Amino acid sequence: MTVEQWHRVRAALPEVGGRFADLLTGVGDPHARALGEWSIAEAASHVGMIALMYPAMIRGDGGPLPLPDLEEPIDAVSVDTIAGMNALGLRLHPERDPVRLAARLRADIAELLLVSADLDPEKPVWWLGGSRVPVAGVLAHLVNEMLIHGLDIARAIGRPWPVPARLEALFLELFLFGMVRNDLGRLLDDATPSPRRIAVEFRSAHTTPAVLALQHGRLRYEEPDGTADVRLRFDPAVLVPMMFGRISRTRALLTGGVRIGGPRPWLLPAFLRTVRMP
């Protein structure tokens, strides 16, 4: 992690948070569907719940979370059970008014920036499923949540919603790769493990080349050495939304936003069956 990346992710929080809050204040019908069974108001409340929790989580001082009934579910969750935890979070965070959610989001982002200002950006903090994520990665995760759910809301109300590649690159490098370098905890425990080692190399104009190697359900971060089974060249603004199901794999491939190469590209589906986003 570089000092520049730390400054960029800190600047991205109010930038994207302001866009997300402005989007909410322009919503006409908060009960319109945004994602699956979630309304616009529920998608916004989900993002607000995350922003509310993160200052306490990165403090790491053992104090209670703002929604203490989420502590045990957060610790026990995996990628396959996160939907239940999210549903509980919505019950515990009942605010649904877009204007009030927008105002609270701005306040919680300001608090998160204040709490994190003097922390080591590489300090691992407790996250979902007993995983450990660097402080900078937690901030990058919130930026991505606002980008992804902002896309859901913008599509529902017919508004444009640019997803900058430079910011999705931060999600990959600071959050995803940062978590893999530290500890994935129980997040992949329910996934079907691949019996063989599968190494996937990630390359883009916005990220440092990296390899994620999967074997027996365990994921490792490695430096590229030319031996990866699969090589992905990608635009982060396509790959990350694809990982979260907002862009189809077919569209990502046809538009060139994701290009697959390497000596064994047919192993990528097995890799993605284990290494996936909720």
Side-chain angles (χ1 to χ4, degrees):
M1 185 185 308
T2 66
V3 172
E4 180 185 3
Q5 286 176 317
W6 177 230
H7 291 320
R8 277 168 37 205
V9 76
R10 288 182 59 79
L13 266 181
E15 173 192 339
V16 180
R19 285 178 55 203
F20 191 89
D22 289 345
L23 184 69
L24 292 184
T25 58
V27 168
D29 179 10
H31 303 295
R33 292 295 173 205
L35 173 67
E37 296 183 353
W38 279 6
S39 66
I40 291 172
E42 288 168 327
S45 182
H46 169 74
V47 171
M49 181 268 293
I50 294 170
L52 173 67
M53 300 280 278
Y54 273 180
M57 289 175 71
I58 67 168
R59 281 191 189 100
D61 58 5
L65 297 180
L67 302 175
D69 288 346
L70 273 179
E71 290 191 27
E72 186 174 334
I74 284 174
D75 198 45
V77 77
S78 72
V79 169
D80 285 353
T81 63
I82 200 168
M85 189 201 73
N86 286 338
L88 175 60
L90 284 177
R91 292 196 296 273
L92 297 173
H93 189 250
E95 182 60 73
R96 297 293 185 268
D97 181 84
V99 174
R100 288 197 293 267
L101 284 166
R104 182 59 193 259
L105 178 65
R106 292 182 192 273
D108 287 333
I109 286 174
E111 175 70 9
L112 183 56
L113 288 170
L114 181 65
V115 170
S116 62
D118 296 326
L119 296 178
D120 178 353
E122 297 198 55
K123 170 194 170 188
V125 298
W126 172 74
W127 200 67
L128 304 188
S131 61
R132 296 294 184 269
V133 177
V135 167
V138 174
L139 271 59
H141 179 265
L142 178 55
V143 170
N144 183 65
E145 284 290 306
M146 294 187 291
L147 287 173
I148 293 296
H149 290 296
L151 185 62
D152 297 332
I153 294 168
R155 285 173 172 174
I157 63 177
R159 297 277 184 85
W161 184 257
V163 176
R166 61 183 172 84
L167 300 185
E168 292 294 43
L170 293 174
F171 171 80
L172 291 169
E173 292 198 300
L174 303 183
F175 172 75
L176 178 59
F177 298 162
M179 177 168 57
V180 174
R181 282 194 297 263
N182 281 284
D183 189 350
L184 278 167
R186 290 174 287 279
L187 286 179
L188 299 182
D189 280 5
D190 295 332
T192 301
S194 170
R196 63 155 293 165
R197 183 179 187 274
I198 305 174
V200 178
E201 183 176 297
F202 292 77
R203 286 185 179 268
S204 82
H206 301 272
T207 57
T208 301
V211 170
L212 295 185
L214 175 69
Q215 189 167 23
H216 301 305
R218 299 300 173 190
L219 197 60
R220 289 173 49 86
Y221 176 93
E222 299 177 358
E223 300 293 337
D225 62 3
T227 65
D229 300 293
V230 184
R231 297 191 183 99
L232 292 183
R233 293 187 179 272
F234 60 91
D235 176 352
V238 176
L239 178 66
V240 176
M242 185 196 82
M243 292 165 65
F244 284 90
R246 271 52 174 199
I247 295 176
S248 72
R249 294 180 186 178
T250 300
R251 178 184 166 194
L253 293 171
L254 289 177
T255 60
V258 175
R259 289 176 290 164
I260 304 173
R264 289 168 288 277
W266 58 85
L267 294 176
L268 183 60
F271 180 89
L272 294 176
R273 279 195 294 272
T274 298
V275 183
R276 61 193 188 279
M277 297 297 159

